[in-house]
Amino acid sequence: MTDGTSADDDLEPPDGGDNEVATLSLSVPSMDCPSCAGKVESSVSDLDGVTDIDPRTTSGTLVVGYDADQTGSAAIRDAVAAAGYEIEDGDEPHDPTAIWRSSRAIRTAVGAAFLLIGVALEWVVPELNPTLTTVLGAEIGVDWVAYVVAAAVPGTTILRNGYYSARNLSLDIDLLMTGGILGALAVNLPFEAATLAVLFSIAELLEAYSMDRARGSLRELMALSPETATVRRNGEEAVVAAETVEVGDRVIVRPGEKIPVDGVIREGDSAIDESPITGESVPADKGPGDEVYAGSLTEAGYVEIEATAAATDSTIARVIDLVEAAEGEQTETEQFVDRFAAVYTPIIVVAALATMTVPPLVVGGPFTEWFVRGLTLLVIACPCAFVISTPVSVVSGLTSAARNGVLIKGGPHLEALGEIDAVALDKTGTITTGQPGVTDVIPLNGNSERDVLAWSSPLEPRTPPP
């Protein structure tokens, strides 16, 4: 049984069933990297009765299998929230520009403005930068206040994520950046703290935008199937949501409309474009008794279809499920990157700490200077972008191929295509549009290209040549 993102109640096993496994699918768009997935998985796995956890970072979806007798969907949602991630309603319309109008984007813009104000006061117009007070020998000016505000406003999200990382014992970029910001403020380096907070927030926004674009190809795949269907019930036509169509319903599809469900034509005939499903570019003539698929387009003719499957069980729905599930099958490159990051990140942390402490203690170097160098190493060498690049590329390739009628069942198979030297295709239309066109004119027997075109063009409309 399945509990979708919009369901809030626990799924109960049927009477007489023991240890019935329910499935909960949640939309967690901010879970967009392996580190994020690790924190969510660690939090949810602590619950009793959880049998399977499948965090799909590239689609922002968490699929959890659980024993409905031991835990419920509310407890799972609370565990996700305890890891620091918000759950969204998967039915909400997607706005591709929302990331730039989000609260984090606004806070980042405010932080950047105060950072620029601080820089201007310190270096451009120092006469407008009076000393306000002195604390422990350090002068506090207006620029200092601007820098602290610049670090605090966008830094709240970073510190919050860093707290959840520490709580889940996850050594990730959020924890490292939290340590960097707090460390810089602790040694009275407000400019460095502000710069780190603002630049990292900008990088996070760009990363979220890139991930959203990758997810966009999957949303386009989902949009192939229409949301509504016209059905005839008790002799009357009604427009209903496609997911409410039941097996046996008579669905009416007029010319130019998409077919909402899999079924069999019972009345009428039409040329049907099935390229989104089969990849065949030439429309197929269909009549009574022929099968049709959801997502196909009727180009001409009125047809009535008897539904043979619910919208959630249609061919296009199964293709989408396969593409989403394919995320869990890591490519060799992804596996290598994860293994590399697991070893590389602790080494960088140790190297950064050594850079901060060893020179001042051993050779008597200035602590502040070496502390800044250690922070710099920590920020520059973090492998977060390196880790996320591969899964984003894989999901973009899988969904783009599926949208064009090619189903690749997992990242490893997509990666294997890179080793292919030759491809054999069986017929025209597989990779062509199915619409012939003139590419070259080769005149023979002393005729010119102009002569050939002059005589051939009147033949097309079947009119006598001039």
Side-chain angles (χ1 to χ4, degrees):
M1 59 178 69
T2 303
D3 180 10
T5 56
S6 60
D8 293 318
D9 299 329
D10 292 348
L11 291 171
E12 299 296 339
D15 294 339
D18 294 327
N19 298 324
E20 179 73 12
V21 175
T23 302
L24 177 67
S25 179
L26 300 174
S27 176
V28 191
S30 55
M31 183 185 66
D32 55 10
C33 68
S35 175
C36 303
K39 284 189 285 187
V40 173
E41 187 171 1
S42 174
S43 182
V44 174
S45 63
D46 292 337
L47 298 175
D48 293 332
V50 172
T51 58
D52 182 61
I53 305 174
D54 183 11
R56 303 172 179 175
T57 57
T58 41
S59 62
T61 304
L62 176 68
V63 181
V64 182
Y66 63 99
D67 184 344
D69 289 332
Q70 298 186 50
T71 191
S73 61
I76 296 174
R77 292 169 182 270
D78 291 341
V80 175
Y85 295 88
E86 295 182 358
I87 300 171
E88 293 187 359
D89 183 358
D91 297 327
E92 293 181 357
H94 175 69
D95 182 1
T97 64
I99 185 66
W100 306 116
R101 292 183 281 103
S102 64
S103 59
R104 183 163 195 179
I106 294 172
R107 290 196 299 271
T108 301
V110 172
F114 273 94
L115 175 60
L116 293 176
I117 291 172
V119 171
L121 290 173
E122 182 178 5
W123 302 104
V124 181
V125 285
E127 63 273 10
L128 301 179
N129 184 33
T131 299
L132 302 177
T133 185
T134 301
V135 177
L136 299 177
E139 295 183 351
I140 306 299
V142 179
D143 63 333
W144 188 94
V145 175
Y147 288 143
V148 171
V149 173
V153 175
T156 52
T157 302
I158 302 172
L159 297 179
R160 172 181 174 274
N161 293 340
Y163 162 76
Y164 283 113
S165 297
R167 179 176 172 177
N168 289 279
L169 302 178
S170 175
L171 183 60
D172 60 11
I173 183 64
D174 293 313
L175 184 59
L176 300 183
M177 293 303 104
T178 296
I181 294 172
L182 295 178
L185 291 175
V187 295
N188 194 30
L189 295 172
F191 169 75
E192 285 76 5
T195 303
L196 187 58
V198 171
L199 293 182
F200 180 67
S201 293
I202 293 174
E204 288 280 276
L205 289 172
L206 292 173
E207 182 180 284
Y209 176 69
S210 299
M211 180 61 74
D212 187 70
R213 289 191 62 183
R215 292 170 179 170
S217 55
L218 183 58
R219 287 189 292 268
E220 291 176 13
L221 183 61
M222 295 177 178
L224 290 176
S225 186
E227 297 179 355
T228 61
T230 303
V231 299
R232 177 177 287 123
R233 293 172 178 168
N234 301 322
E236 296 184 357
E237 292 185 16
V239 178
V240 300
E243 60 263 23
T244 64
V245 176
E246 300 176 355
V247 175
D249 278 348
R250 187 64 68 93
V251 179
I252 297 171
V253 184
R254 294 180 169 84
E257 294 181 347
K258 284 186 177 181
I259 297 174
V261 293
D262 288 0
V264 177
I265 295 178
R266 295 305 182 196
E267 183 178 330
D269 53 71
S270 174
I272 297 179
D273 178 6
E274 296 180 327
S275 58
I277 310 300
T278 65
E280 176 58 63
S281 59
V282 179
D285 292 329
K286 299 278 186 174
D290 291 331
E291 283 188 313
V292 291
Y293 307 104
S296 302
L297 177 68
T298 55
E299 295 196 343
Y302 166 99
V303 293
E304 292 189 12
I305 301 167
E306 180 182 340
T308 57
T312 53
D313 296 325
S314 67
T315 301
I316 188 65
R318 292 198 299 271
V319 169
I320 293 171
D321 289 341
L322 285 171
V323 171
E324 287 184 321
E327 298 176 37
E329 193 175 357
Q330 286 190 320
T331 66
E332 291 184 5
T333 303
E334 288 178 286
Q335 295 173 17
F336 166 75
V337 169
D338 287 347
R339 292 194 302 268
F340 175 82
V343 176
Y344 175 80
T345 303
I347 291 176
I348 291 301
V349 173
V350 172
L353 292 175
T355 302
M356 296 175 187
T357 57
V358 172
L361 295 176
V362 175
V363 299
F367 173 74
T368 300
E369 178 181 342
W370 285 101
F371 186 85
V372 172
R373 291 178 178 176
L375 288 181
T376 303
L377 174 61
L378 196 65
V379 173
I380 292 176
C382 182
C384 185
F386 177 56
V387 171
I388 199 176
S389 61
T390 306
V392 168
S393 302
V394 169
V395 76
S396 296
L398 292 175
T399 51
S400 178
R403 191 173 62 252
N404 288 279
V406 179
L407 179 59
I408 304 174
K409 297 182 179 180
H413 308 292
L414 178 65
E415 189 175 60
L417 291 176
E419 301 177 3
I420 293 177
D421 297 321
V423 178
L425 304 172
D426 62 343
K427 57 183 173 53
T428 300
T430 304
I431 59 171
T432 62
T433 62
Q435 299 175 347
V438 177
T439 60
D440 298 284
V441 177
I442 303 176
L444 302 174
N445 301 324
N447 295 297
S448 67
E449 180 178 318
R450 183 183 181 87
D451 293 335
V452 174
L453 293 175
W455 282 89
S456 59
S457 58
L459 292 177
E460 185 174 7
R462 298 186 179 182
T463 58

